[in-house]
Amino acid sequence: MKYKQGMVAPVNLFYMLFVSRTLVVFTVCSSVLGGNYSMDLIISLFAAAVLVLLFSVPFLVMLRQGKNIVENKALSRLYALYFFFAGAIGLSRFVLFSSSRLGHAENPLLLSAVVICACAYAATLGIEAISRFCSMVFFVMFGGSLLAVVFSINDMSPLNFFPLIQNDAGQIANTTLFAVTATSEVMLLPVLAPKINGKIVLPYCLTAVASLASIILTVATVIGVLGSLASVVEHPLGVLYQIMKFASTERLDSLFTAYWIFAIFFKTALYLYAAAQCVKAGSQKKNAAVSAIGIFIAVLIILKAQVITGGRLAASVVIFLLYSVVIPVLYTAFSKRKNGIERYFQG
């Protein structure tokens, strides 16, 4: 495949979406889900993965027809607003973790501002720089997941997996919807597709399968080691890394923090970049600056309003369906403008 400046290979799309998707497992806990952290969570994760693929069809059809909502100035800015809050939610969760665990409780907004400024600079470097950083983060997180499994095998107890179903049908459905709405990577498709130098459908679908397998393996490991304790601690995966030991002496919980820092810097930079592509306020630097301000305001709203625990599920579902289904379907049906991106779906 011939190199094209300003574009990245399909494998980089896989890396970016995989890291962004699997980051969700760092913050999954009972207080967020509203139910027990148990094996029925895997049912919800699997159902959510299937639904997300179905909800991706409108975007894929739109792109296949050579249309893209990013080229519509009004709609692109509407999606920029979505990216502000999508990026801010993940960053807010990290800031709260940092406040409670790393001793920065006195000024979480300052930490948010520092991360956003660094990520805004990364966004100005373009998708190639972001994807290269993501490649490193991918292999670090993949290695970390394997470490978690390998070093936890001896601490697992088969009894911790039972009873397999601890939540009722309503809670399982709610968890499924939460997992669906947390998959904001669907909305990245129209932004990233023009930047991919090759086919996008296969790496996108492979991401769904690989990230699901990785998350299920991680969740099963957490349950196998912690059992019912996973339902009462704030960060079950973090506790798992605290329990793990290397050579019987070295604790590995610092790795959990390191993985999260790497991943949150990447994901915030990616959503800043996506927002900058949608803002259309001038130069790339100006767009990144506007997006940085937008995400910071979103973080401020989230932290002050304390809407981070996932309690407003109905609103999240409506917003997700609006951005992933309603808008792309209407745009595909009524827009006549084409941009040539359909060539990546041919042959």
Side-chain angles (χ1 to χ4, degrees):
M1 184 179 298
K2 187 177 180 181
Y3 168 76
K4 294 182 180 180
Q5 187 174 5
M7 301 183 73
V8 298
V11 68
N12 294 108
L13 176 66
F14 172 83
Y15 292 155
M16 289 188 289
L17 297 182
F18 180 92
V19 172
S20 181
R21 183 71 185 99
T22 53
L23 182 59
V24 175
V25 78
F26 281 73
T27 58
V28 170
C29 60
S30 290
S31 62
V32 172
L33 299 175
N36 291 324
Y37 195 108
S38 56
M39 288 299 290
D40 50 51
L41 178 58
I42 293 177
I43 299 175
S44 297
L45 292 171
F46 184 83
V50 174
L51 289 174
V52 167
L53 284 176
L54 290 176
F55 290 141
S56 303
V57 171
F59 274 127
L60 294 175
V61 171
M62 177 189 71
L63 295 171
R64 186 180 181 87
Q65 293 186 12
K67 302 176 182 180
N68 197 332
I69 54 175
V70 175
E71 296 187 345
N72 182 289
K73 197 170 186 178
L75 290 178
S76 68
R77 289 180 174 175
L78 187 63
Y79 276 80
L81 184 64
Y82 178 89
F83 292 132
F84 291 162
F85 281 91
I89 289 174
L91 180 56
S92 299
R93 286 173 177 159
F94 173 76
V95 168
L96 292 179
F97 167 78
S98 175
S99 299
S100 62
R101 297 283 297 277
L102 304 181
H104 298 289
E106 66 277 8
N107 203 338
L109 287 177
L110 178 60
L111 178 59
S112 300
V114 170
V115 174
I116 290 172
C117 287
C119 293
Y121 172 73
T124 63
L125 299 179
I127 192 64
E128 290 180 280
I130 294 174
S131 67
R132 283 194 291 268
F133 176 66
C134 178
S135 299
M136 183 271 291
V137 176
F138 170 80
F139 287 104
V140 168
M141 291 185 67
F142 184 76
S145 299
L146 290 180
L147 279 177
V149 175
V150 171
F151 289 122
S152 300
I153 290 178
N154 292 333
D155 296 320
M156 288 187 185
S157 171
L159 295 177
N160 288 336
F161 294 109
F162 298 94
L164 293 176
I165 307 297
Q166 297 184 24
N167 297 296
D168 58 30
Q171 180 55 47
I172 292 175
N174 286 341
T175 302
T176 300
L177 292 176
F178 169 80
V180 169
T181 57
T183 314
S184 51
E185 292 75 25
V186 175
M187 268 57 78
L188 288 172
L189 270 175
V191 176
L192 295 181
K195 304 296 181 180
I196 306 303
N197 186 22
K199 311 291 184 181
I200 65 172
V201 176
L202 180 60
Y204 181 78
C205 294
L206 286 178
T207 300
V209 175
S211 60
L212 174 64
S214 176
I215 293 173
I216 287 178
L217 182 61
T218 301
V219 168
T221 302
V222 170
I223 296 172
V225 174
L226 301 184
S228 59
L229 180 63
S231 297
V232 297
V233 296
E234 187 176 2
H235 295 99
L237 185 58
V239 173
L240 176 68
Y241 275 89
Q242 287 180 347
I243 294 175
M244 289 191 309
K245 293 183 182 297
F246 177 71
S248 302
T249 57
E250 296 294 332
R251 285 175 48 176
L252 300 176
D253 53 308
S254 59
L255 292 179
F256 171 78
T257 304
Y259 298 153
W260 199 349
I261 290 174
F262 280 134
I264 200 62
F265 265 88
F266 157 72
K267 188 167 185 175
T268 305
L270 180 63
Y271 279 86
L272 258 168
Y273 172 82
Q277 294 296 303
C278 295
V279 166
K280 301 184 184 301
S283 66
Q284 179 66 12
K285 290 184 178 180
K286 185 175 181 180
N287 291 338
V290 172
S291 300
I293 294 172
I295 287 186
F296 181 77
I297 293 174
V299 170
L300 180 63
I301 293 173
I302 290 171
L303 292 179
K304 294 299 182 182
Q306 297 181 349
V307 295
I308 199 170
T309 58
R312 292 162 174 78
L313 183 59
S316 298
V317 171
V318 171
I319 293 172
F320 182 87
L321 291 176
L322 174 65
Y323 278 93
S324 67
V325 178
V326 177
I327 294 178
V329 166
L330 293 177
Y331 187 79
T332 302
F334 296 105
S335 174
K336 297 182 179 180
R337 183 173 181 176
K338 292 189 175 184
N339 54 27
I341 197 174
E342 67 273 12
R343 66 187 182 275
Y344 294 124
F345 293 85
Q346 297 173 353

